[in-house]
DNA sequence: CTAGGGTTAG
């Protein structure tokens, strides 16, 4: 009876029954203990353990495993030191705990200290080395071990797979005296990871014992090799699915840029009644982040809270990113503060989030408190810190960090750091310094680096440098239409219309396709997308009427539509006309009409916001008294009371 | 207690 409740994870019923039992033997205590332990209730498990009148080795194993599996490794270690007559299962658990922490030296010490070793002890040690790329050590132990079973062999195969040594992995696999589904799945995953889907498929078809994991391996493999249609075929065909299958296909669609389909599948999954696991939460939240589906994201957040997941690492980080990328930086900070187990990704996400919103000071504050907490920053952190400085115009501080990060944190500057610095110096008008830094950097500049210089040249009207940068970029990335647009805008700024025209012809000759600009906004759970001069939206009359009205008000406020700033993507005669109808403006207008007063209007654009719209939206925020948050392809703009969080500096 | 499938920052 008690074990039935525990098996069904009905722990409150189990507890009630347990409390009413007239007599409890050690088995009943252990049953409840393991029930708590396996469902993450470590404190309850510990309480039961402490109250037990007598304990056997199963009880000791239970509490030790509870600590190890729920991330309380320090408690496990201390408990382990309190007595010496552990049974072999506990020794093995403890060793596995060290292995999971990648503390192989400690694991090995335990392995040598233990009174007797069984095959699990050997396997744990072998797989520990194998998983950490120490194949020589793994191989040595493999040879030394008295017997080998299917675990031992599979651990070796897995190790070679992880190290990318597929030929060796296959050699071992072919020698195995006994093969099970896990061994097959291991080698198949190896082939998918080195993009050999043909060989993976061959083995998948050949294996006699396919299980759900085999299908999941193949689905992930196809998805990650850009063959989402094949992935979908398998997903539709598979005899049974689990939550990992759903996570794999959702992530597949999301990563191949089809966020809408990913979210449709997520909704289908909920209708199907499938349980949600951490991966499903993680990749769904990440998809919401990509298309800034804040309403849906919040609903997923709600389900997450209901499901009672701890905000640990993966899920919490995805949630944090969702709020950041949906432009809801305050909520992001709430999530951040409430996360008990922050890891490096958590800190980096928050810093980068603030940086992209133009809140440089806040980003630096988080960076400071990260160091107070004793977390070592890595290269990604520094990209965030430098771009925070760059987006907020903090030249001196940024330069200081860049110069000291080597000795201070042991981080060698990568191309991205140089790009940040060139961006930082360039924006601040120090074009010569930026160019000099570029000459002195220990890498060949890539297109992104030249792009930063081109952007800065445009901002400060330096044609010579701009042309030089543009030329390099056209060589490296002839299809990068954004850069043609930048250079063409530089000419337009200076009124060099013949050069603008030349650029346009150049692009036509080269067959460069401009990426069409569009913007979208989420209203009542539905995404509304607008393109330039949109005329398909059912509410278009109201939208254009509002735009007309705003236009009149803008003129009264002293705003002059600056045709000199115009546009890359239109012919001259269309200029004045097109200004009104830029997608970001239309989306903002629609937001003003539909989003209740007092709530921010959040718009997303796939390209960089155009300068004229940026100006206009500043005024609009003042006229209508609304907070407008615009995410463009590089950062966020918070428009409020006539000014923008980017300080007109983006 | 040991082996496989998924998910987070730029």
């Amino acid at each position: 009876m008690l074990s039935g409740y525990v098996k069904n994870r009905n722990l409150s019923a189990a507890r009630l029954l347990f409390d009413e039992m007239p007599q409890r033997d050690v088995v009943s205590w252990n049953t409840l203990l393991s029930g708590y332990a396996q469902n993450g209730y470590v404190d309850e498990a510990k309480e039961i353990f402490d109250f037990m009148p007598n304990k056997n080795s199963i009880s000791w194993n239970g509490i030790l495993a509870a600590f190890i599996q729920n991330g309380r490794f320090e408690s496990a270690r201390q408990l382990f030191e309190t007595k010496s007559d552990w049974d072999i299962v506990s020794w093995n658990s403890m060793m596995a705990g060290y292995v999971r922490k990648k503390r192989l030296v400690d694991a090995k010490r335990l392995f040598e200290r233990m009174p007797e070793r069984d095959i699990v002890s050997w396997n744990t040690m072998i797989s520990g080395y194998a998983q950490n790329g120490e194949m020589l050590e793994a191989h040595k132990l493999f040879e030394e071990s008295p017997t080998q079973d299917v675990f031992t062999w599979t651990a070796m195969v897995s190790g070679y797979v992880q190290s990318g040594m597929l030929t060796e992995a296959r050699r071992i696999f072919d020698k195995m005296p006994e093969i099970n589904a896990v061994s097959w799945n291991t080698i198949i995953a190896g082939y998918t990871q080195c993009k050999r889907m043909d060989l993976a498929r061959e083995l998948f078809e050949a294996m006699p014992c396919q299980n759900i994991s085999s299908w999941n391996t193949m689905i992930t493999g196809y998805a990650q090799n850009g063959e989402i249609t094949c992935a979908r075929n398998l997903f539709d065909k598979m005899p049974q699915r689990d939550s990992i299958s759903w996570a794999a296909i959702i992530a597949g669609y999301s990563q191949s840029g089809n966020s809408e389909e990913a979210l449709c599948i997520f909704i289908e999954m909920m209708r199907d009644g499938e349980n949600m696991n951490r991966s499903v939460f993680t990749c769904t939240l990440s998809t919401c982040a990509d298309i800034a589906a804040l309403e849906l994201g919040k609903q997923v957040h709600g389900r997450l809270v209901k499901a009672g997941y701890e905000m640990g690492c993966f899920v919490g980080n995805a949630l944090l990113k969702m709020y950041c990328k949906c432009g809801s930086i305050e909520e992001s900070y709430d999530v951040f503060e409430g996360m008990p187990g922050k890891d490096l990704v958590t800190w980096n996400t928050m810093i980068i989030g603030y940086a992209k919103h133009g809140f440089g000071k806040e980003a630096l504050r988080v960076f400071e408190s990260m160091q107070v907490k004793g977390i070592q920053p890595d290269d990604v952190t520094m990209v965030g810190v430098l771009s925070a400085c760059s987006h907020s115009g903090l030249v001196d501080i940024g330069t200081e960090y860049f110069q000291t990060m080597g000795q201070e944190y042991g981080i060698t500057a990568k191309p991205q750091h140089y790009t940040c610095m060139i961006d930082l110096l360039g924006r601040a008008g120090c074009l010569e310094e930026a160019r000099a830094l570029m000459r002195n950097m220990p890498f060949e500049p890539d297109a992104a680096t030249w792009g930063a210089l081109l952007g800065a040249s445009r901002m400060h009207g330096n044609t010579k440098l701009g042309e030089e940068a543009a030329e390099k970029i056209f060589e490296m990335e002839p299809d990068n239409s954004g850069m043609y647009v930048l250079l063409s805008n530089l000419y337009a700024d200076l009124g060099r219309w013949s050069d603008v025209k030349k650029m346009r012809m150049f692009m036509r000759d080269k067959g460069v396709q401009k990426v069409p600009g569009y913007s979208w906004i989420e209203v009542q759970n539905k995404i509304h997308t607008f393109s330039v001069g949109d005329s398909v939206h059912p509410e278009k009359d109201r939208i254009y009427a509002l735009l007309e009205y705003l236009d009149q008000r803008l003129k009264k406020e002293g705003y002059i539509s600056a045709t000199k700033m115009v546009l890359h993507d239109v012919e001259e005669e269309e200029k004045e006309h097109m200004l009104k109808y830029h997608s970001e403006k239309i989306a903002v207008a629609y937001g003003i009409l539909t989003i209740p007063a007092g709530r921010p209007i959040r718009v997303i654009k796939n390209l960089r916001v155009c300068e004229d719209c940026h100006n206009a939206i500043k005024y609009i925020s003042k006229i209508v008294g609304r907070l407008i948050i615009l995410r463009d392809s590089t950062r966020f703009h918070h428009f409020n009371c006539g000014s923008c969080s980017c300080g007109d500096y983006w």
Side-chain angles (χ1 to χ4, degrees):
Chain A
M1 191 70 171
L2 182 63
S3 70
Y5 282 137
V6 166
K7 235 174 239 163
N8 293 326
R9 299 166 157 223
N10 193 345
L11 289 176
S12 39
R15 184 56 185 259
L16 277 175
L17 184 70
F18 180 83
D19 287 341
E20 284 169 7
M21 282 166 78
Q23 274 192 328
R24 308 181 190 101
D25 58 6
V26 68
V27 177
S28 11
W29 284 95
N30 282 346
T31 308
L32 191 63
L33 170 65
S34 79
Y36 280 132
Q38 278 158 25
N39 290 288
Y41 298 106
V42 191
D43 293 320
E44 287 80 353
K46 181 71 166 67
E47 202 189 345
I48 293 293
F49 179 79
D50 288 340
F51 273 111
M52 288 176 77
N54 41 40
K55 307 171 169 72
N56 62 15
S57 67
I58 296 184
S59 331
W60 285 97
N61 293 343
I63 192 66
L64 190 71
F67 282 142
I68 294 174
Q69 279 158 26
N70 291 288
R72 306 253 286 256
F73 188 67
E74 244 342 271
S75 313
R77 210 186 51 77
Q78 282 166 16
L79 181 71
F80 194 78
E81 297 302 329
T82 57
K83 73 186 198 94
S84 51
D85 59 334
W86 292 96
D87 83 351
I88 192 162
V89 174
S90 299
W91 280 95
N92 288 340
S93 299
M94 199 58 215
M95 213 167 63
Y98 277 124
V99 165
R100 215 176 305 167
K101 291 257 163 198
K102 297 181 188 293
R103 290 166 61 170
L104 289 185
V105 180
D106 294 315
K108 186 69 189 297
R109 200 173 298 144
L110 221 56
F111 178 75
E112 271 155 7
R113 230 177 72 192
M114 58 198 295
E116 45 163 356
R117 297 172 200 126
D118 64 4
I119 191 160
V120 175
S121 331
W122 284 94
N123 289 347
T124 304
M125 212 52 236
I126 290 171
S127 90
Y129 283 122
Q131 294 304 318
N132 287 286
E134 299 192 34
M135 288 315 293
L136 286 177
E137 275 303 312
H139 183 77
K140 216 176 99 196
L141 281 188
F142 181 85
E143 297 285 331
E144 277 174 32
S145 58
T147 50
Q148 296 88 21
D149 64 2
V150 66
F151 280 81
T152 331
W153 285 93
T154 309
M156 290 301 290
V157 174
S158 170
Y160 284 120
V161 163
Q162 307 284 328
S163 308
M165 299 160 74
L166 253 290
T167 322
E168 197 55 24
R170 181 59 185 266
R171 208 177 58 80
I172 302 285
F173 178 78
D174 286 337
K175 277 199 339 206
M176 289 176 72
E178 180 204 340
I179 311 174
N180 65 14
V182 178
S183 335
W184 282 97
N185 295 344
T186 307
I187 189 82
I188 291 173
Y191 284 125
T192 69
Q193 278 154 29
C194 57
K195 305 189 183 300
R196 291 305 304 266
M197 286 312 294
D198 50 338
L199 293 174
R201 184 67 181 240
E202 212 173 273
L203 286 180
F204 174 71
E205 305 281 358
M207 70 186 282
C209 46
Q210 289 172 353
N211 59 15
I212 297 187
S213 297
S214 327
W215 289 82
N216 291 346
T217 306
M218 290 301 294
I219 290 172
T220 309
Y222 278 125
Q224 286 177 354
N225 285 295
E227 300 185 60
I228 187 69
T229 319
C230 294
R232 180 58 181 268
N233 278 337
L234 284 186
F235 180 78
D236 289 339
K237 258 192 356 207
M238 66 194 292
Q240 266 193 328
R241 297 173 189 147
D242 62 8
S243 50
I244 294 189
S245 327
W246 288 95
I249 196 75
I250 292 172
Y253 274 112
S254 180
Q255 281 155 14
S256 63
N258 195 342
S259 307
E260 285 75 14
E261 184 61 21
L263 292 179
C264 283
I265 293 182
F266 169 69
I267 288 163
E268 193 187 324
M269 180 190 132
M270 290 198 295
R271 270 208 305 267
D272 234 49
E274 178 66 59
N275 273 328
M276 286 192 258
N277 63 0
R278 287 182 170 77
S279 311
V280 170
F281 278 121
T282 305
C283 60
T284 305
L285 286 168
S286 166
T287 311
C288 290
D290 287 338
I291 58 168
L294 180 59
E295 294 305 319
L296 184 60
K298 278 184 177 170
Q299 287 171 25
V300 177
H301 185 179
R303 286 182 167 272
L304 189 65
V305 173
K306 253 195 195 156
Y309 277 118
E310 257 192 60
M311 286 304 165
C313 296
F314 277 65
V315 181
N317 291 342
L319 189 64
L320 187 57
K321 180 184 139 182
M322 188 275 290
Y323 281 120
C324 279
K325 291 207 121 184
C326 289
S328 200
I329 192 79
E330 293 84 4
E331 279 170 292
S332 205
Y333 190 71
D334 292 342
V335 171
F336 174 78
E337 282 222 300
M339 277 177 68
K342 298 183 184 64
D343 66 1
L344 187 57
V345 175
T346 317
W347 291 95
N348 288 352
T349 307
M350 196 67 237
I351 291 171
I352 290 161
Y354 271 136
K356 291 221 164 192
H357 282 267
F359 298 155
K361 297 243 165 63
E362 284 78 2
L364 295 181
R365 213 192 57 222
V366 173
F367 179 56
E368 292 300 329
S369 72
M370 159 180 188
Q371 291 172 79
V372 171
K373 292 264 157 61
I375 313 283
Q376 269 296 314
D378 70 351
D379 55 319
V380 179
T381 320
M382 293 319 292
V383 171
V385 169
L386 295 179
S387 77
C389 295
S390 161
H391 285 305
S392 305
L394 306 167
V395 184
D396 294 342
I397 301 176
T399 309
E400 171 97 23
Y401 277 129
F402 179 72
Q403 281 166 353
T404 55
M405 67 187 203
Q407 349 154 333
E408 199 85 13
Y409 315 114
I411 297 165
T412 331
K414 289 184 171 176
Q416 288 145 303
H417 299 110
Y418 279 94
T419 303
C420 282
M421 280 312 289
I422 286 154
D423 192 59
L424 175 74
L425 293 168
R427 280 167 196 278
C430 312
L431 289 173
E432 280 317 310
E433 285 89 334
R435 184 69 184 91
L437 183 63
M438 207 158 148
R439 276 200 200 92
N440 294 330
M441 66 189 232
F443 319 94
E444 270 309 301
D446 59 9
T449 316
W450 285 111
L453 197 66
L454 174 54
S457 308
R458 195 234 153 163
M459 186 181 286
H460 298 286
N462 188 327
T463 337
K464 199 166 150 280
L465 208 52
E467 282 172 336
E468 184 193 352
E471 213 168 284
K472 299 282 186 192
I473 297 165
F474 298 158
E475 264 172 41
M476 287 184 243
E477 291 185 355
D479 294 326
N480 189 335
S481 64
M483 293 302 157
Y484 293 89
V485 171
L486 262 184
L487 182 61
S488 152
N489 279 350
L490 171 55
Y491 290 136
D493 290 344
L494 303 170
R496 288 169 56 172
W497 297 110
S498 60
D499 285 319
V500 173
K501 212 166 181 181
K502 250 188 251 164
M503 284 300 298
R504 210 167 280 141
M505 276 160 55
F506 185 65
M507 284 175 75
R508 201 171 306 154
D509 292 346
K510 292 238 168 182
V512 180
Q513 293 290 313
K514 275 170 300 193
V515 178
Y518 56 92
S519 302
W520 66 95
I521 181 169
E522 189 188 44
V523 176
Q524 286 176 355
N525 244 331
K526 205 170 165 291
I527 307 267
H528 298 255
T529 307
F530 301 93
S531 54
V532 184
D534 199 277
S535 59
V536 289
H537 195 273
E539 300 264 26
K540 63 176 191 303
D541 293 341
R542 281 177 71 211
I543 297 172
Y544 288 137
L546 176 61
L547 284 169
E548 283 299 322
Y549 164 78
L550 287 174
D551 224 40
Q552 298 305 315
R553 291 288 305 271
L554 287 178
K555 285 196 172 123
K556 260 188 228 156
E557 292 273 332
Y559 165 90
I560 301 149
S561 106
T563 30
K564 104 173 174 68
M565 293 176 184
V566 190
L567 291 184
H568 33 43
D569 35 344
V570 276
E571 300 294 332
E572 270 203 64
E573 63 270 20
E574 292 176 75
K575 253 183 255 158
E576 173 74 23
H577 170 77
M578 295 298 276
L579 270 180
K580 280 186 229 169
Y581 297 98
H582 245 182
S583 66
E584 52 265 55
K585 254 183 170 175
I586 304 176
V588 166
Y590 186 60
I592 295 171
L593 291 171
T594 52
I595 308 270
R599 280 171 52 192
I601 294 160
R602 302 168 201 277
V603 169
I604 300 93
K605 187 182 183 190
N606 66 330
L607 306 175
R608 276 168 70 147
V609 56
C610 112
E611 225 166 306
D612 193 75
C613 286
H614 189 269
N615 249 332
I617 296 172
K618 278 201 298 188
Y619 280 98
I620 291 173
S621 76
K622 189 167 146 198
I623 293 169
V624 299
R626 304 287 299 259
L627 169 62
I628 299 167
I629 300 173
L630 174 68
R631 176 180 120 187
D632 74 8
S633 59
T634 52
R635 61 164 295 152
F636 283 87
H637 304 263
H638 293 237
F639 299 95
N640 201 10
C641 304
S643 63
C644 178
S645 67
C646 74
D648 302 330
Y649 202 73
W650 77 93

